[in-house]
mmCIF file of all heavy atoms in Angstrom:
data_model
loop_
_atom_site.group_PDB
_atom_site.id
_atom_site.type_symbol
_atom_site.label_atom_id
_atom_site.label_comp_id
_atom_site.label_asym_id
_atom_site.label_seq_id
_atom_site.Cartn_x
_atom_site.Cartn_y
_atom_site.Cartn_z
ATOM 1 N N MET Q 1717 10.305 -21.118 6.369
ATOM 2 C CA MET Q 1717 8.869 -20.835 6.305
ATOM 3 C C MET Q 1717 8.113 -22.017 6.901
ATOM 4 O O MET Q 1717 8.498 -23.174 6.696
ATOM 5 C CB MET Q 1717 8.412 -20.580 4.863
ATOM 6 C CG MET Q 1717 8.788 -19.224 4.315
ATOM 7 S SD MET Q 1717 7.934 -18.856 2.777
ATOM 8 C CE MET Q 1717 8.743 -17.321 2.320
ATOM 9 N N MET Q 1719 4.156 -23.623 7.439
ATOM 10 C CA MET Q 1719 2.737 -23.638 7.126
ATOM 11 C C MET Q 1719 2.027 -24.547 8.126
ATOM 12 O O MET Q 1719 2.400 -25.720 8.264
ATOM 13 C CB MET Q 1719 2.496 -24.135 5.703
ATOM 14 C CG MET Q 1719 1.026 -24.120 5.284
ATOM 15 S SD MET Q 1719 0.384 -22.448 5.032
ATOM 16 C CE MET Q 1719 1.149 -22.086 3.441
ATOM 17 N N GLY Q 1809 4.069 -28.013 8.456
ATOM 18 C CA GLY Q 1809 5.135 -28.356 7.533
ATOM 19 C C GLY Q 1809 6.066 -27.167 7.376
ATOM 20 O O GLY Q 1809 5.625 -26.015 7.454
ATOM 21 N N MET Q 1820 9.247 -21.610 -1.454
ATOM 22 C CA MET Q 1820 9.249 -22.051 -0.063
ATOM 23 C C MET Q 1820 7.831 -22.308 0.458
ATOM 24 O O MET Q 1820 7.610 -23.236 1.240
ATOM 25 C CB MET Q 1820 9.949 -21.022 0.821
ATOM 26 C CG MET Q 1820 11.445 -20.888 0.549
ATOM 27 S SD MET Q 1820 12.244 -19.717 1.665
ATOM 28 C CE MET Q 1820 12.304 -20.690 3.182
ATOM 29 N N ILE Q 1821 6.865 -21.486 0.024
ATOM 30 C CA ILE Q 1821 5.496 -21.668 0.511
ATOM 31 C C ILE Q 1821 4.951 -23.015 0.061
ATOM 32 O O ILE Q 1821 4.349 -23.753 0.849
ATOM 33 C CB ILE Q 1821 4.598 -20.518 0.015
ATOM 34 C CG1 ILE Q 1821 5.069 -19.187 0.610
ATOM 35 C CG2 ILE Q 1821 3.133 -20.771 0.382
ATOM 36 C CD1 ILE Q 1821 4.306 -17.981 0.115
ATOM 37 N N ASP Q 1822 5.176 -23.359 -1.216
ATOM 38 C CA ASP Q 1822 4.687 -24.650 -1.721
ATOM 39 C C ASP Q 1822 5.347 -25.814 -0.979
ATOM 40 O O ASP Q 1822 4.694 -26.819 -0.671
ATOM 41 C CB ASP Q 1822 4.963 -24.763 -3.228
ATOM 42 C CG ASP Q 1822 4.063 -23.842 -4.043
ATOM 43 O OD1 ASP Q 1822 2.994 -23.461 -3.507
ATOM 44 O OD2 ASP Q 1822 4.417 -23.503 -5.167
ATOM 45 N N LYS Q 1823 6.644 -25.702 -0.704
ATOM 46 C CA LYS Q 1823 7.339 -26.779 0.000
ATOM 47 C C LYS Q 1823 6.785 -26.958 1.415
ATOM 48 O O LYS Q 1823 6.541 -28.088 1.869
ATOM 49 C CB LYS Q 1823 8.838 -26.488 0.050
ATOM 50 C CG LYS Q 1823 9.530 -26.603 -1.307
ATOM 51 C CD LYS Q 1823 11.022 -26.335 -1.181
ATOM 52 C CE LYS Q 1823 11.725 -26.488 -2.527
ATOM 53 N NZ LYS Q 1823 13.173 -26.244 -2.416
ATOM 54 N N ALA Q 1824 6.591 -25.834 2.116
ATOM 55 C CA ALA Q 1824 6.038 -25.919 3.471
ATOM 56 C C ALA Q 1824 4.622 -26.491 3.436
ATOM 57 O O ALA Q 1824 4.226 -27.279 4.314
ATOM 58 C CB ALA Q 1824 6.039 -24.528 4.119
ATOM 59 N N ASP Q 1825 3.863 -26.121 2.410
ATOM 60 C CA ASP Q 1825 2.491 -26.621 2.281
ATOM 61 C C ASP Q 1825 2.484 -28.135 2.051
ATOM 62 O O ASP Q 1825 1.690 -28.867 2.648
ATOM 63 C CB ASP Q 1825 1.803 -25.897 1.121
ATOM 64 C CG ASP Q 1825 0.295 -26.073 1.154
ATOM 65 O OD1 ASP Q 1825 -0.308 -25.855 2.207
ATOM 66 O OD2 ASP Q 1825 -0.272 -26.450 0.110
ATOM 67 N N ASN Q 1826 3.376 -28.626 1.179
ATOM 68 C CA ASN Q 1826 3.461 -30.064 0.920
ATOM 69 C C ASN Q 1826 3.851 -30.837 2.183
ATOM 70 O O ASN Q 1826 3.304 -31.915 2.480
ATOM 71 C CB ASN Q 1826 4.478 -30.333 -0.185
ATOM 72 C CG ASN Q 1826 3.982 -29.875 -1.544
ATOM 73 O OD1 ASN Q 1826 2.771 -29.778 -1.765
ATOM 74 N ND2 ASN Q 1826 4.889 -29.562 -2.452
ATOM 75 N N ALA Q 1827 4.791 -30.280 2.941
ATOM 76 C CA ALA Q 1827 5.210 -30.939 4.171
ATOM 77 C C ALA Q 1827 4.078 -30.949 5.198
ATOM 78 O O ALA Q 1827 3.917 -31.908 5.963
ATOM 79 C CB ALA Q 1827 6.438 -30.237 4.744
ATOM 80 N N MET Q 1828 3.266 -29.891 5.197
ATOM 81 C CA MET Q 1828 2.133 -29.841 6.120
ATOM 82 C C MET Q 1828 1.129 -30.946 5.810
ATOM 83 O O MET Q 1828 0.611 -31.614 6.716
ATOM 84 C CB MET Q 1828 1.469 -28.465 6.043
ATOM 85 C CG MET Q 1828 0.292 -28.266 6.994
ATOM 86 S SD MET Q 1828 -1.285 -28.665 6.213
ATOM 87 C CE MET Q 1828 -1.442 -27.305 5.076
#
Side-chain angles (χ1 to χ4, degrees):
M1717 284 192 187
M1719 182 71 76
M1820 293 183 75
I1821 296 176
D1822 289 338
K1823 290 181 178 181
D1825 195 50
N1826 289 336
M1828 182 267 289

